[in-house]
C-alpha cells in the first residue's frame, strides 16, 4: 500500500468514526437516541471545548505541568534505574539479597501509592513525579540489569583480550549494552512517566491534564472529559514521535532500527 | 609457546564433570604457523582458550616465551570463532579500540586504524556498523582489530568457518600476506584439512573427545610465499593430504559416533 492511500484510509477511519458519533448522539433512530448526549456528548461540543481551551490559552498551563512532571519522572526514574541496575548486575550477591523485595515492590499496583505520596509530598507536582518515578524506575532497572547481564560472552572475552581493564569494560562494553536495552524500552518508560503524572493529577492536584479531566467529570461535563482525553492522546503521540526520533539517532548501530527505516 | 600435559574439565549442569581435553601437549615456535585440525566438539576452541589464558587448565602448564601463564595472555591476539566485534562501534572504532585501551590517544589511534582497514581491503567501510557488513567483511575487521595491537602470538579459531569457498580463499591469501610481513607465531584452528595444509608450516591433529589429545603432527613441505589456489595443485600437497586424512577419518567417524550416542 502506498503512503498516500494508507494515509487517506487512516483519515477515512477518523471521519467515519466522528460521523457515526455525531449521528448517533444527535438524531433519534427508531424513536430513541443511541448515544445520549448527556453520557457521550457529541463531536461538535468536544471540538468547541478543545478550541476554546487553546483560544483562551488555559490549556498551555496544564500541558506544561503534565509535561514537566513526566520529564522529571522519566529523568529521575531513569537515573535510579540505570544506577541500581548496574549495581545489581555487577554485584550478584546484593542482587540476590534484594531480589524478593524488588519483586514485591514491583508487584504492587502503583495507584495505591498515590495517596501516600500526596500525604508526603503535598498536592504539587512532586507527588505526581514520585508516582511516575515508581513506574519508570522498574522498567529501566530491569532493562539495564538485563543489558549488563546479557553481554555476549564472546564480545566480553574479546574486550579482555584487547587489553581492557575493569573501567574500560564498563565504558566500552557494559554501558553501551545497558543503554541499548534501556533505549529499546524508551517508549514504554516515557509512556509510563506520562501515566504516572496524569493518574497522580487525576487523584488530587490543582493543575495538569489529569486535573482538567477530573474537574470536568466532577460537574458531569462530558464534553470536557472527552476534550481532555483528546488533548492527552495528542500529547502522548507528540511525545512518542520525539522519542522515536531520539531512538533512531541513538541506536543507529542496531539492525532492527535501521532495518525498519529501509 | 608451549602447552604441556594440559587437562580441562567442565562441570556439567546436571552434576559430574566432562573432561574435554586430557594430556594435550603442543609447542609452537616463534614465527611458526601451526594449524590444529580435529572433529567438531573435540576441544579445539578449549585449547585456544587455554593458550589465551581465558581458561585455566585443571592440570598441566602453559608457557609463553618461557614464562608460565597465570593470567590473561597479554602477548596474544585472539580471533574468535563467533562474532566478537562490538556491535555499537563502527568498523573504524572497533579496530582502533585495541590501541586506545593501551593508552594511545584517539587522534593517533584512528588514523592507524584506518591504515589497517585499508590493509584488509575495507578502507571505505570505516563508518559502517558491524551489522552493515557481510560475514567476510566482519572477519576482516576482526583481523585488523587483533593485528593492530601487533601481538607476538596470533590465536585464530575457525576464522573463515562460516564463509563461502571463494571468500575463504581470498581471506587465506590475505592472512598469509599479512603474516609474511612479520612472522608471528600462529595457532590456527580449522576443521578444513585442505585449508590447514595450504596455510601452515605444521598440521596437528586432535582426537575426538572426551579426553581429546594430540594424535598427529606433520611438517608441511611446501615452500613460501604461497598462493592458496596454486598450492592445492602441488603433488606434495596431495601426498600429505592423503596421509593426514587417513588418520583423521577414523577420528571424525568416532566423533560422530559420540554425538550420535549422546
Ligand atoms: N562451558 C562448557 N561446559 C561444558 N562443556 C563444555 C563447555 N565448553 C565446551 N564444552 C565441551 O567441550 C568439548 C570441546 O568444546 P570445543 O573446544 O568448543 O570444541 P571445538 O573443537 O568444536 O572447538 C565439547 O564436547 C563441548 O561440548
Ligand atoms: Mg570451536
Amino acid at each position: 500500500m502506498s503512503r498516500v492511500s494508507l494515509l487517506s484510509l487512516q483519515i477515512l477511519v477518523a471521519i467515519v468514526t466522528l460521523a457515526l458519533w455525531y449521528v448517533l448522539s444527535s438524531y433519534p433512530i427508531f424513536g430513541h437516541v443511541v448515544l445520549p448526549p448527556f453520557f457521550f456528548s457529541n463531536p461538535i461540543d468536544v471540538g468547541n471545548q478543545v478550541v476554546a481551551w487553546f483560544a483562551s490559552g488555559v490549556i498551555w498551563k496544564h500541558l506544561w505541568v503534565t509535561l514537566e512532571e513526566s520529564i522529571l519522572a522519566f529523568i529521575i526514574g531513569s537515573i535510579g534505574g540505570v544506577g541500581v541496575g548496574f549495581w545489581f548486575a555487577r554485584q550478584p550477591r546484593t542482587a540476590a539479597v534484594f531480589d524478593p523485595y524488588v519483586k514485591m515492590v514491583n508487584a504492587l499496583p502503583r495507584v495505591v501509592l498515590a495517596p501516600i505520596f500526596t500525604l508526603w509530598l503535598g498536592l504539587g507536582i512532586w507527588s505526581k513525579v514520585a508516582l511516575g518515578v515508581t513506574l519508570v524506575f522498574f522498567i529501566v532497572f530491569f532493562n539495564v540489569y538485563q543489558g549488563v547481564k546479557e553481554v555476549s560472552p564472546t564480545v566480553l572475552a574479546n574486550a579482555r583480550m584487547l587489553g581492557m581493564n575493569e573501567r574500560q569494560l564498563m565504558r566500552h562494553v557494559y554501558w553501551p549494552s545497558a543503554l541499548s536495552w534501556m533505549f529499546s524500552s524508551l517508549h514504554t518508560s516515557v509512556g509510563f512517566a506520562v501515566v504516572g503524572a496524569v493518574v497522580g493529577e487525576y487523584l488530587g492536584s490543582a493543575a495538569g491534564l489529569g486535573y482538567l479531566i477530573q474537574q470536568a467529570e466532577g460537574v458531569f461535563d462530558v464534553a470536557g472529559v472527552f476534550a481532555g482525553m483528546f488533548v492527552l492522546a495528542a500529547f502522548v503521540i507528540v511525545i512518542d514521535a520525539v522519542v522515536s526520533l531520539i531512538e533512531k539517532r541513538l541506536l543507529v548501530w542496531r539492525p532492527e532500527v535501521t532495518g525498519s527505516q529501509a | 609457546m608451549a602447552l604441556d600435559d594440559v587437562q580441562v574439565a567442565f562441570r556439567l549442569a546436571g552434576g559430574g564433570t566432562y573432561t574435554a581435553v586430557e594430556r594435550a601437549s603442543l609447542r609452537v615456535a616463534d614465527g611458526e604457523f601451526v594449524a590444529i585440525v580435529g572433529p567438531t566438539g573435540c576441544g579445539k576452541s578449549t585449547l585456544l582458550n587455554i593458550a589465551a589464558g581465558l581458561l585455566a587448565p585443571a592440570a598441566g602448564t602453559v608457557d609463553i616465551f618461557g614464562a608460565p601463564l597465570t593470567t590473561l595472555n597479554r602477548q596474544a591476539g585472539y580471533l574468535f570463532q563467533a562474532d566478537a566485534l562490538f556491535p555499537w562501534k563502527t568498523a573504524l572504532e572497533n579496530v582502533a579500540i585495541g590501541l586506545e585501551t593501551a593508552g594511545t590517544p584517539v587522534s593517533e589511534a584512528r588514523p592507524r586504524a584506518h591504515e589497517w582497514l585499508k590493509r584488509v581491503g575495507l578502507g571505505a567501510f570505516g563508518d559502517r556498523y558491524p551489522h552493515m557488513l557481510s560475514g567476510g567483511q566482519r572477519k576482516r575487521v576482526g583481523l585488523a582489530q587483533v593485528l593492530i595491537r601487533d601481538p607476538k602470538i596470533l590465536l585464530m579459531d575457525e576464522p573463515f568457518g562460516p564463509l563461502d569457498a571463494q571468500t575463504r580463499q581470498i581471506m587465506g591469501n590475505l592472512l598469509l600476506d599479512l603474516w609474511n610481513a612479520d612472522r608471528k607465531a600462529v595457532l590456527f584452528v580449522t576443521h578444513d584439512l585442505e585449508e590447514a595444509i595450504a596455510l601452515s608450516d605444521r598440521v596437528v591433529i586432535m582426537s575426538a573427545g572426551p579426553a581429546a589429545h594430540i594424535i598427529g603432527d606433520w611438517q608441511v613441505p611446501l615452500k613460501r610465499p604461497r598462493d592458496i589456489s596454486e598450492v592445492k595443485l602441488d603433488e606434495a600437497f596431495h601426498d600429505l593430504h592423503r596421509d593426514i586424512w587417513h588418520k583423521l577419518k577414523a577420528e571424525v567417524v568416532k566423533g560422530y559416533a559420540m554425538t550420535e550416542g549422546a
Side-chain angles (χ1 to χ4, degrees):
Chain A
M1 206 180 330
S2 78
R3 276 183 88 94
V4 177
S5 58
L6 178 64
L7 195 66
S8 34
L9 279 177
Q10 286 171 336
I11 292 172
L12 188 67
V13 170
I15 291 175
V16 169
T17 310
L18 288 175
L20 268 178
W21 182 13
Y22 179 70
V23 170
L24 292 180
S25 60
S26 306
Y27 299 100
I29 293 170
F30 301 121
H32 71 99
V33 177
V34 180
L35 301 175
F38 181 75
F39 294 112
F40 293 93
S41 188
N42 73 68
I44 307 283
D45 288 352
V46 172
N48 284 339
Q49 177 68 78
V50 173
V51 170
W53 277 342
F54 279 95
S56 67
V58 284
I59 194 76
W60 296 114
K61 175 186 140 205
H62 297 290
L63 272 175
W64 171 245
V65 168
T66 303
L67 184 67
E68 197 181 10
E69 290 163 353
S70 306
I71 291 176
L72 282 172
F74 173 74
I75 291 175
I76 298 173
S78 296
I79 292 175
V82 168
V84 178
F86 247 91
W87 181 35
F88 279 19
R90 303 294 292 146
Q91 307 276 339
R93 207 178 303 167
T94 316
V97 170
F98 281 101
D99 182 58
Y101 304 105
V102 170
K103 288 204 176 106
M104 207 170 85
V105 177
N106 187 39
L108 201 66
R110 291 329 125 70
V111 178
V112 304
L113 293 175
I116 302 180
F117 287 141
T118 308
L119 206 62
W120 289 348
L121 302 166
L123 283 172
I125 64 165
W126 289 106
S127 55
K128 286 86 201 168
V129 172
L131 195 62
V133 165
T134 61
L135 292 164
V136 172
F137 170 83
F138 284 96
I139 298 164
V140 174
F141 162 73
F142 284 123
N143 275 289
V144 167
Y145 183 72
Q146 202 75 4
V148 175
K149 287 283 226 197
E150 306 247 310
V151 172
S152 142
T154 316
V155 170
L156 206 55
N158 191 27
R160 294 180 58 208
M161 287 309 290
L162 291 172
M164 287 195 199
N165 58 30
E166 198 60 25
R167 232 192 64 238
Q168 288 165 331
L169 281 180
M170 275 289 168
R171 172 158 163 229
H172 294 289
V173 181
Y174 291 120
W175 180 245
S177 174
L179 277 197
S180 81
W181 277 70
M182 187 192 135
F183 287 133
S184 68
S185 63
L186 210 55
H187 288 280
T188 325
S189 48
V190 168
F192 270 110
V194 177
V195 167
V198 172
V199 170
E201 287 162 0
Y202 184 83
L203 292 174
S205 69
L209 291 177
Y211 166 80
L212 218 52
I213 293 172
Q214 196 270 334
Q215 285 292 301
E217 234 171 56
V219 295
F220 296 104
D221 171 15
V222 181
V225 174
F226 276 100
M229 281 173 12
F230 275 113
V231 174
L232 179 59
F235 176 74
V236 171
I237 286 176
V238 170
I239 288 191
D240 212 55
V242 172
V243 169
S244 291
L245 261 172
I246 296 174
E247 193 181 34
K248 216 174 255 178
R249 290 203 56 142
L250 288 174
L251 296 184
V252 272
W253 57 270
R254 289 257 290 225
E256 303 96 298
V257 173
T258 40
S260 63
Q261 238 175 291
Chain B
M1 175 168 61
L3 281 71
D4 273 313
D5 290 336
V6 166
Q7 180 184 333
V8 184
F10 290 112
R11 222 181 287 275
L12 296 180
T17 55
Y18 175 85
T19 308
V21 177
E22 190 161 354
R23 298 190 73 78
S25 298
L26 178 66
R27 250 154 234 286
V28 181
D30 199 7
E32 191 177 30
F33 196 129
V34 176
I36 303 181
V37 187
T40 70
C42 70
K44 304 183 294 292
S45 299
T46 306
L47 210 60
L48 278 195
N49 285 339
I50 294 273
L54 287 168
L55 207 63
T61 57
V62 182
D63 289 306
I64 306 296
F65 296 112
L69 184 69
T70 49
T71 57
L72 223 53
N73 188 345
R74 296 268 167 223
Q75 318 263 15
Y78 195 156
L79 195 58
F80 290 83
Q81 182 171 12
D83 259 339
L85 295 178
F86 305 106
W88 42 80
K89 288 185 185 294
T90 62
L92 188 75
E93 289 166 350
N94 260 291
V95 177
I97 190 67
L99 288 180
E100 288 168 21
T101 57
T104 312
V106 174
S107 57
E108 192 182 318
R110 295 288 159 92
R112 278 175 65 192
H114 185 67
E115 281 305 308
W116 267 103
L117 277 180
K118 274 200 262 181
R119 223 171 288 181
V120 295
L122 292 175
F125 293 79
D127 53 0
R128 298 257 195 127
Y129 287 92
H131 81 268
M132 303 168 176
L133 298 169
S134 73
Q137 290 169 334
R138 278 202 290 268
K139 285 293 174 197
R140 280 193 257 175
V141 175
L143 194 60
Q145 185 183 51
V146 168
L147 290 179
I148 197 171
R149 288 171 58 80
D150 196 22
K152 298 233 165 46
I153 300 167
L154 189 54
L155 307 170
M156 307 179 80
D157 194 354
E158 306 197 25
F160 313 145
L163 308 180
D164 61 84
Q166 261 122 355
T167 315
R168 291 175 79 117
Q169 217 159 67
I170 294 167
M171 291 289 292
N173 278 330
L174 173 69
L175 175 64
L176 282 187
D177 282 348
L178 293 173
W179 177 77
N180 252 329
D182 63 335
R183 307 223 166 170
K184 302 172 186 308
V186 179
L187 199 51
F188 184 99
V189 163
T190 174
H191 55 250
D192 182 347
L193 182 54
E194 286 191 22
E195 186 176 72
I197 299 173
L199 290 173
S200 64
D201 298 322
R202 242 170 80 208
V203 176
V204 166
I205 303 294
M206 268 179 98
S207 72
H213 51 277
I214 280 145
I215 51 166
D217 196 331
W218 284 265
Q219 292 286 338
V220 177
L222 302 168
K223 57 180 191 307
R224 297 194 185 269
R226 302 175 191 163
D227 180 278
I228 294 192
S229 41
E230 280 169 24
V231 102
K232 283 181 182 167
L233 306 172
D234 202 302
E235 193 61 36
F237 180 94
H238 289 283
D239 291 343
L240 188 61
H241 189 278
R242 198 177 312 113
D243 268 12
I244 302 179
W245 179 239
H246 182 72
K247 184 124 182 185
L248 186 60
K249 198 164 68 179
E251 289 306 321
V252 172
V253 170
K254 240 193 275 176
Y256 260 116
M258 302 290 307
T259 46
E260 291 286 296

